[in-house]
Amino acid sequence: PLTPLEIRFRQLGGQAGYAGGFIEHYLLPVLYPQNLTRPVQVVLGTLVLILNAATYRRLWRRRTSGNV
């Protein structure tokens, strides 16, 4: 609800407004950068899976050894 107010204040301050909402303007470029190609996505996804598997393995070993 604050996006139209922010855009208006930007225009009053001499800056350009932007189309769309807050999420489209600020968050999507962070989550999905323009240079995020398919190979980079695959590498990042693989790293996340490896990190996740390592974390679960560590937790599983702690639980089975009795060191909670």
Side-chain angles (χ1 to χ4, degrees):
L2 293 177
T3 302
L5 188 61
E6 176 191 359
I7 292 171
R8 180 69 180 136
F9 283 144
R10 283 178 174 265
Q11 291 169 344
L12 290 173
Q15 295 181 357
Y18 56 85
F22 176 85
I23 292 175
E24 295 169 53
H25 185 71
Y26 290 108
L27 296 181
L28 287 182
V30 173
L31 296 175
Y32 302 106
Q34 288 183 345
N35 59 353
L36 190 63
T37 62
R38 185 68 174 165
V40 174
Q41 289 176 343
V42 170
V43 168
L44 291 175
T46 303
L47 290 174
V48 168
L49 289 174
I50 291 170
L51 178 63
N52 192 20
T55 302
Y56 275 109
R57 181 176 182 216
R58 183 176 179 201
L59 291 172
W60 180 261
R61 283 186 169 204
R62 274 185 165 183
R63 183 174 181 159
T64 57
S65 68
N67 295 334
V68 178

Coordinates of all heavy atoms in Angstrom, one line a residue:
P1 N 0.8 -1.2 0.0 CA 0.0 0.0 0.0 C 0.8 1.3 0.0 O 0.3 2.3 -0.3 CB -0.8 -0.1 1.3 CG -0.2 -1.2 2.1 CD 0.6 -2.0 1.2
L2 N 2.1 1.2 0.3 CA 2.9 2.4 0.4 C 3.6 2.7 -1.0 O 4.2 3.8 -1.1 CB 4.0 2.2 1.4 CG 3.5 2.2 2.9 CD1 4.7 2.0 3.8 CD2 2.8 3.5 3.2
T3 N 3.5 1.8 -1.9 CA 4.2 2.0 -3.2 C 3.7 3.2 -3.9 O 4.6 4.0 -4.4 CB 4.1 0.7 -4.1 OG1 4.6 -0.4 -3.4 CG2 4.8 0.9 -5.4
P4 N 2.4 3.4 -4.1 CA 2.0 4.7 -4.7 C 2.5 5.9 -4.0 O 2.9 6.9 -4.7 CB 0.5 4.6 -4.7 CG 0.2 3.2 -4.6 CD 1.3 2.6 -3.8
L5 N 2.5 5.9 -2.7 CA 3.0 7.0 -1.9 C 4.5 7.2 -2.2 O 5.0 8.3 -2.4 CB 2.8 6.8 -0.4 CG 3.0 8.0 0.5 CD1 2.2 9.2 0.1 CD2 2.8 7.6 1.9
E6 N 5.3 6.1 -2.2 CA 6.7 6.2 -2.5 C 7.0 6.8 -3.9 O 7.8 7.7 -4.0 CB 7.4 4.8 -2.4 CG 8.8 4.8 -2.7 CD 9.4 3.5 -2.9 OE1 8.7 2.4 -2.7 OE2 10.6 3.4 -3.3
I7 N 6.2 6.3 -4.8 CA 6.4 6.8 -6.2 C 6.1 8.3 -6.3 O 6.8 9.1 -6.9 CB 5.5 6.0 -7.2 CG1 6.1 4.6 -7.3 CG2 5.5 6.6 -8.6 CD1 5.2 3.6 -8.0
R8 N 5.0 8.7 -5.6 CA 4.7 10.1 -5.6 C 5.8 11.0 -5.0 O 6.1 12.0 -5.5 CB 3.3 10.3 -4.9 CG 2.9 11.7 -4.8 CD 2.5 12.2 -6.2 NE 2.0 13.6 -6.1 CZ 2.4 14.5 -6.9 NH1 3.1 14.3 -8.0 NH2 1.9 15.8 -6.8
F9 N 6.3 10.5 -3.8 CA 7.4 11.3 -3.2 C 8.6 11.3 -4.0 O 9.3 12.3 -4.1 CB 7.7 10.7 -1.8 CG 6.7 11.1 -0.7 CD1 6.3 10.2 0.2 CD2 6.1 12.3 -0.7 CE1 5.4 10.5 1.2 CE2 5.1 12.6 0.2 CZ 4.8 11.7 1.2
R10 N 8.9 10.2 -4.7 CA 10.1 10.2 -5.7 C 9.9 11.3 -6.7 O 10.8 12.0 -7.1 CB 10.2 8.9 -6.3 CG 10.9 7.8 -5.4 CD 10.9 6.5 -6.2 NE 11.7 5.5 -5.4 CZ 13.0 5.3 -5.5 NH1 13.7 5.9 -6.4 NH2 13.6 4.4 -4.8
Q11 N 8.7 11.4 -7.3 CA 8.4 12.3 -8.4 C 8.5 13.7 -7.8 O 9.0 14.6 -8.5 CB 7.0 12.1 -9.0 CG 7.0 10.8 -9.8 CD 5.6 10.4 -10.2 OE1 4.6 10.8 -9.6 NE2 5.5 9.4 -11.1
L12 N 8.0 14.0 -6.6 CA 8.0 15.3 -6.0 C 9.5 15.7 -5.7 O 9.8 16.9 -5.8 CB 7.2 15.4 -4.7 CG 5.7 15.3 -4.9 CD1 5.0 15.2 -3.5 CD2 5.2 16.5 -5.6
G13 N 10.3 14.7 -5.5 CA 11.7 14.9 -5.2 C 12.6 15.0 -6.5 O 13.8 15.1 -6.4
G14 N 11.9 14.9 -7.6 CA 12.6 15.1 -8.9 C 13.2 13.8 -9.5 O 13.9 13.8 -10.5
Q15 N 12.9 12.7 -8.8 CA 13.3 11.4 -9.3 C 12.2 10.7 -10.2 O 11.1 11.1 -10.1 CB 13.7 10.4 -8.2 CG 14.8 10.9 -7.3 CD 15.1 9.9 -6.2 OE1 14.4 8.9 -6.0 NE2 16.2 10.1 -5.5
A16 N 12.6 9.8 -10.9 CA 11.6 9.1 -11.7 C 10.9 8.0 -10.9 O 11.5 7.4 -10.0 CB 12.3 8.4 -12.9
G17 N 9.6 7.8 -11.1 CA 8.9 6.8 -10.4 C 9.2 5.4 -11.1 O 10.1 5.4 -12.0
Y18 N 8.6 4.4 -10.8 CA 8.8 3.1 -11.4 C 7.4 2.4 -11.6 O 6.5 2.7 -10.9 CB 9.7 2.2 -10.7 CG 9.4 2.0 -9.2 CD1 8.5 0.9 -8.9 CD2 9.9 2.8 -8.2 CE1 8.2 0.7 -7.5 CE2 9.6 2.5 -6.9 CZ 8.7 1.5 -6.6 OH 8.4 1.3 -5.2
A19 N 7.4 1.6 -12.6 CA 6.1 0.8 -12.9 C 6.1 -0.4 -12.0 O 7.2 -1.0 -11.6 CB 6.1 0.4 -14.3
G20 N 5.0 -0.9 -11.7 CA 4.8 -2.1 -10.9 C 4.8 -1.9 -9.4 O 4.8 -0.7 -9.0
G21 N 5.0 -2.9 -8.7 CA 4.9 -2.8 -7.2 C 6.3 -3.0 -6.6 O 7.3 -3.1 -7.3
F22 N 6.3 -2.9 -5.3 CA 7.5 -3.0 -4.5 C 8.3 -4.3 -4.8 O 9.5 -4.3 -5.0 CB 7.2 -3.0 -3.0 CG 8.3 -3.2 -2.1 CD1 9.1 -2.1 -1.7 CD2 8.7 -4.4 -1.6 CE1 10.2 -2.2 -0.9 CE2 9.7 -4.6 -0.7 CZ 10.5 -3.5 -0.4
I23 N 7.6 -5.4 -4.8 CA 8.3 -6.7 -5.0 C 8.9 -6.8 -6.4 O 10.1 -7.2 -6.5 CB 7.3 -7.9 -4.8 CG1 6.9 -8.0 -3.3 CG2 7.8 -9.2 -5.3 CD1 5.8 -9.0 -3.0
E24 N 8.2 -6.3 -7.4 CA 8.7 -6.3 -8.8 C 9.9 -5.4 -8.9 O 10.9 -5.8 -9.6 CB 7.7 -5.9 -9.8 CG 6.5 -6.8 -9.9 CD 5.4 -6.2 -10.7 OE1 5.7 -5.7 -11.8 OE2 4.3 -6.1 -10.2
H25 N 9.9 -4.3 -8.2 CA 11.0 -3.3 -8.4 C 12.2 -3.7 -7.5 O 13.3 -3.5 -8.0 CB 10.4 -1.9 -8.0 CG 11.4 -0.9 -8.2 ND1 11.8 -0.4 -9.4 CD2 12.2 -0.1 -7.3 CE1 12.7 0.6 -9.3 NE2 12.9 0.7 -8.1
Y26 N 12.0 -4.1 -6.3 CA 13.2 -4.3 -5.4 C 13.6 -5.8 -5.2 O 14.8 -6.1 -5.1 CB 12.8 -3.7 -4.0 CG 12.8 -2.2 -4.0 CD1 11.6 -1.5 -3.9 CD2 14.0 -1.5 -4.1 CE1 11.6 -0.2 -3.9 CE2 13.9 -0.1 -4.1 CZ 12.7 0.6 -4.0 OH 12.7 1.9 -4.0
L27 N 12.6 -6.7 -5.1 CA 13.0 -8.1 -4.8 C 13.3 -9.0 -6.0 O 14.2 -9.8 -5.9 CB 11.9 -8.7 -3.9 CG 11.7 -8.0 -2.6 CD1 10.6 -8.7 -1.8 CD2 12.9 -8.0 -1.8
L28 N 12.5 -8.9 -7.0 CA 12.8 -9.7 -8.2 C 14.1 -9.6 -8.8 O 14.8 -10.6 -9.1 CB 11.7 -9.6 -9.2 CG 10.3 -10.1 -8.9 CD1 9.3 -9.9 -10.0 CD2 10.4 -11.6 -8.5
P29 N 14.7 -8.4 -8.9 CA 16.1 -8.3 -9.4 C 17.1 -8.9 -8.5 O 18.1 -9.4 -9.0 CB 16.3 -6.8 -9.5 CG 15.0 -6.1 -9.6 CD 14.1 -7.0 -8.8
V30 N 16.8 -9.0 -7.2 CA 17.8 -9.6 -6.3 C 17.7 -11.1 -6.4 O 18.6 -11.9 -6.4 CB 17.5 -9.2 -4.9 CG1 18.3 -10.0 -3.9 CG2 17.8 -7.7 -4.7
L31 N 16.4 -11.6 -6.5 CA 16.2 -13.1 -6.6 C 16.5 -13.6 -8.0 O 17.0 -14.8 -8.1 CB 14.7 -13.4 -6.3 CG 14.3 -13.1 -4.8 CD1 12.8 -13.3 -4.7 CD2 15.1 -13.9 -3.8
Y32 N 16.3 -12.9 -9.0 CA 16.5 -13.3 -10.4 C 17.3 -12.3 -11.2 O 16.8 -11.6 -12.0 CB 15.2 -13.6 -11.1 CG 14.3 -14.6 -10.4 CD1 13.2 -14.2 -9.7 CD2 14.6 -15.9 -10.4 CE1 12.4 -15.1 -9.0 CE2 13.9 -16.9 -9.8 CZ 12.7 -16.5 -9.1 OH 12.0 -17.4 -8.4
P33 N 18.6 -12.2 -10.9 CA 19.4 -11.2 -11.6 C 19.4 -11.5 -13.1 O 19.2 -12.7 -13.6 CB 20.8 -11.4 -11.1 CG 20.7 -12.4 -9.9 CD 19.4 -13.0 -10.0
Q34 N 19.7 -10.5 -13.9 CA 19.6 -10.6 -15.4 C 20.7 -11.6 -15.9 O 20.5 -12.2 -16.9 CB 19.8 -9.3 -16.0 CG 18.5 -8.4 -15.9 CD 18.7 -7.1 -16.6 OE1 19.8 -6.7 -17.0 NE2 17.6 -6.4 -16.8
N35 N 21.8 -11.6 -15.3 CA 22.9 -12.5 -15.7 C 22.9 -13.9 -15.2 O 23.8 -14.6 -15.3 CB 24.3 -11.8 -15.4 CG 24.5 -11.6 -13.9 OD1 23.6 -11.8 -13.2 ND2 25.7 -11.2 -13.6
L36 N 21.7 -14.3 -14.7 CA 21.6 -15.6 -14.1 C 21.2 -16.6 -15.2 O 20.0 -16.8 -15.5 CB 20.5 -15.6 -13.0 CG 20.4 -16.9 -12.2 CD1 21.7 -17.1 -11.4 CD2 19.2 -16.8 -11.2
T37 N 22.2 -17.1 -15.9 CA 21.9 -18.0 -17.0 C 21.6 -19.4 -16.5 O 21.8 -19.8 -15.3 CB 23.2 -18.1 -17.9 OG1 24.3 -18.6 -17.1 CG2 23.6 -16.7 -18.4
R38 N 21.2 -20.3 -17.4 CA 20.8 -21.7 -17.1 C 22.0 -22.4 -16.4 O 21.8 -23.1 -15.4 CB 20.3 -22.4 -18.3 CG 19.8 -23.8 -18.0 CD 18.5 -23.7 -17.2 NE 17.9 -25.0 -17.1 CZ 17.0 -25.3 -16.2 NH1 16.5 -24.4 -15.4 NH2 16.6 -26.5 -16.1
P39 N 23.2 -22.4 -17.0 CA 24.3 -23.1 -16.3 C 24.6 -22.6 -14.9 O 24.9 -23.4 -14.0 CB 25.5 -22.8 -17.2 CG 24.9 -22.5 -18.6 CD 23.6 -21.9 -18.3
V40 N 24.5 -21.3 -14.7 CA 24.7 -20.7 -13.4 C 23.6 -21.2 -12.4 O 23.8 -21.6 -11.3 CB 24.7 -19.2 -13.4 CG1 24.8 -18.6 -12.0 CG2 25.9 -18.7 -14.2
Q41 N 22.3 -21.3 -12.9 CA 21.3 -21.8 -12.1 C 21.5 -23.3 -11.7 O 21.3 -23.7 -10.5 CB 19.9 -21.7 -12.8 CG 19.4 -20.3 -13.0 CD 18.1 -20.3 -13.9 OE1 17.8 -21.3 -14.6 NE2 17.4 -19.2 -13.8
V42 N 22.0 -24.1 -12.6 CA 22.3 -25.5 -12.3 C 23.4 -25.6 -11.3 O 23.3 -26.4 -10.3 CB 22.7 -26.2 -13.6 CG1 23.2 -27.6 -13.3 CG2 21.5 -26.3 -14.6
V43 N 24.5 -24.8 -11.4 CA 25.5 -24.8 -10.4 C 25.0 -24.4 -9.0 O 25.3 -25.1 -8.0 CB 26.7 -23.9 -10.9 CG1 27.7 -23.7 -9.8 CG2 27.4 -24.5 -12.1
L44 N 24.3 -23.3 -9.0 CA 23.8 -22.9 -7.7 C 22.8 -23.9 -7.1 O 22.9 -24.1 -5.9 CB 23.1 -21.5 -7.8 CG 24.0 -20.3 -8.2 CD1 23.1 -19.1 -8.4 CD2 25.0 -20.1 -7.0
G45 N 22.0 -24.5 -7.9 CA 21.0 -25.5 -7.4 C 21.8 -26.7 -6.9 O 21.4 -27.3 -5.8
T46 N 22.8 -27.1 -7.6 CA 23.6 -28.2 -7.1 C 24.3 -27.9 -5.8 O 24.3 -28.8 -4.9 CB 24.7 -28.6 -8.2 OG1 24.0 -28.9 -9.4 CG2 25.5 -29.8 -7.8
L47 N 24.8 -26.7 -5.7 CA 25.5 -26.3 -4.4 C 24.5 -26.4 -3.2 O 24.8 -26.8 -2.1 CB 26.1 -25.0 -4.5 CG 27.4 -24.9 -5.4 CD1 27.8 -23.4 -5.6 CD2 28.5 -25.7 -4.8
V48 N 23.3 -25.9 -3.5 CA 22.2 -25.9 -2.5 C 21.9 -27.3 -2.1 O 21.7 -27.7 -0.9 CB 21.0 -25.1 -2.9 CG1 19.8 -25.4 -2.0 CG2 21.3 -23.7 -3.0
L49 N 21.8 -28.2 -3.0 CA 21.5 -29.6 -2.7 C 22.6 -30.3 -1.9 O 22.3 -31.1 -1.0 CB 21.2 -30.4 -4.0 CG 19.9 -30.1 -4.8 CD1 19.9 -30.8 -6.1 CD2 18.7 -30.5 -3.9
I50 N 23.8 -30.0 -2.3 CA 25.0 -30.6 -1.6 C 25.0 -30.0 -0.1 O 25.2 -30.8 0.8 CB 26.3 -30.2 -2.3 CG1 26.4 -31.0 -3.6 CG2 27.5 -30.5 -1.4 CD1 27.5 -30.6 -4.5
L51 N 24.8 -28.8 0.0 CA 24.8 -28.2 1.4 C 23.6 -28.8 2.2 O 23.8 -29.1 3.4 CB 24.6 -26.7 1.3 CG 24.5 -25.9 2.6 CD1 25.8 -26.1 3.4 CD2 24.2 -24.4 2.4
N52 N 22.5 -28.9 1.6 CA 21.3 -29.5 2.3 C 21.6 -31.0 2.7 O 21.3 -31.4 3.8 CB 20.1 -29.5 1.4 CG 18.8 -29.8 2.1 OD1 18.8 -29.7 3.3 ND2 17.8 -30.1 1.4
A53 N 22.2 -31.8 1.8 CA 22.5 -33.2 2.1 C 23.5 -33.2 3.2 O 23.4 -34.1 4.1 CB 23.0 -33.8 0.8
A54 N 24.5 -32.4 3.2 CA 25.6 -32.4 4.2 C 25.0 -32.0 5.6 O 25.3 -32.7 6.6 CB 26.7 -31.4 3.8
T55 N 24.1 -31.1 5.6 CA 23.4 -30.7 6.8 C 22.6 -31.8 7.4 O 22.7 -32.1 8.6 CB 22.6 -29.4 6.6 OG1 23.4 -28.4 6.1 CG2 21.9 -29.0 7.9
Y56 N 21.8 -32.5 6.6 CA 21.0 -33.6 7.1 C 21.8 -34.8 7.5 O 21.5 -35.4 8.5 CB 20.0 -34.0 6.0 CG 18.7 -33.2 6.0 CD1 18.4 -32.3 5.0 CD2 17.8 -33.3 7.1 CE1 17.3 -31.5 5.1 CE2 16.7 -32.5 7.1 CZ 16.4 -31.6 6.1 OH 15.3 -30.9 6.2
R57 N 22.9 -35.0 6.8 CA 23.8 -36.1 7.2 C 24.4 -35.8 8.5 O 24.5 -36.7 9.4 CB 24.9 -36.2 6.1 CG 25.9 -37.3 6.4 CD 26.9 -37.5 5.3 NE 27.8 -38.6 5.7 CZ 29.0 -38.7 5.4 NH1 29.6 -37.7 4.8 NH2 29.8 -39.7 5.7
R58 N 24.8 -34.6 8.8 CA 25.4 -34.2 10.1 C 24.3 -34.4 11.2 O 24.6 -34.9 12.2 CB 25.9 -32.8 10.0 CG 26.6 -32.4 11.3 CD 27.1 -31.0 11.1 NE 27.8 -30.6 12.4 CZ 28.0 -29.3 12.7 NH1 27.7 -28.4 11.9 NH2 28.5 -29.0 13.9
L59 N 23.1 -33.9 10.9 CA 22.1 -34.1 11.9 C 21.7 -35.5 12.2 O 21.5 -35.9 13.3 CB 20.8 -33.3 11.5 CG 20.9 -31.8 11.5 CD1 19.7 -31.1 10.8 CD2 21.1 -31.3 12.9
W60 N 21.7 -36.3 11.1 CA 21.4 -37.7 11.3 C 22.5 -38.4 12.1 O 22.2 -39.2 13.0 CB 21.3 -38.4 9.9 CG 21.0 -39.8 9.9 CD1 21.9 -40.9 9.8 CD2 19.7 -40.4 10.2 NE1 21.3 -42.1 9.9 CE2 19.9 -41.8 10.2 CE3 18.5 -39.9 10.4 CZ2 18.9 -42.7 10.4 CZ3 17.4 -40.8 10.6 CH2 17.6 -42.2 10.6
R61 N 23.8 -38.1 11.8 CA 24.8 -38.7 12.6 C 24.8 -38.3 14.1 O 25.0 -39.1 15.0 CB 26.2 -38.3 12.1 CG 26.5 -39.0 10.8 CD 27.9 -38.7 10.4 NE 28.3 -39.6 9.3 CZ 29.6 -39.9 9.1 NH1 30.5 -39.3 9.7 NH2 29.9 -40.7 8.1
R62 N 24.4 -37.0 14.4 CA 24.3 -36.6 15.7 C 23.2 -37.4 16.4 O 23.3 -37.8 17.6 CB 23.9 -35.1 15.8 CG 25.0 -34.2 15.8 CD 24.5 -32.8 16.0 NE 25.5 -31.9 16.3 CZ 25.3 -30.6 16.6 NH1 24.0 -30.1 16.5 NH2 26.3 -29.8 16.9
R63 N 22.1 -37.6 15.7 CA 20.9 -38.2 16.3 C 21.2 -39.7 16.6 O 20.8 -40.2 17.6 CB 19.7 -38.1 15.4 CG 18.5 -38.7 16.0 CD 17.3 -38.4 15.2 NE 16.1 -39.0 15.8 CZ 14.9 -38.6 15.6 NH1 14.6 -37.7 14.8 NH2 13.9 -39.2 16.2
T64 N 21.8 -40.4 15.7 CA 22.1 -41.8 15.8 C 23.2 -42.1 16.8 O 23.2 -43.1 17.4 CB 22.4 -42.5 14.5 OG1 23.6 -41.8 13.9 CG2 21.2 -42.4 13.5
S65 N 24.1 -41.1 17.1 CA 25.2 -41.3 18.0 C 24.7 -40.9 19.4 O 25.5 -41.2 20.4 CB 26.4 -40.5 17.6 OG 26.2 -39.2 17.8
G66 N 23.6 -40.3 19.6 CA 23.1 -39.9 20.9 C 23.5 -38.6 21.4 O 23.2 -38.2 22.5
N67 N 24.3 -37.8 20.6 CA 24.7 -36.5 20.9 C 23.8 -35.4 20.4 O 24.0 -34.9 19.3 CB 26.1 -36.2 20.4 CG 27.2 -37.1 21.0 OD1 27.0 -37.6 22.1 ND2 28.2 -37.3 20.2
V68 N 22.7 -35.2 21.1 CA 21.7 -34.2 20.6 C 22.1 -32.8 21.0 O 22.6 -32.4 21.9 CB 20.3 -34.6 21.1 CG1 19.3 -33.6 20.7 CG2 20.0 -35.9 20.7

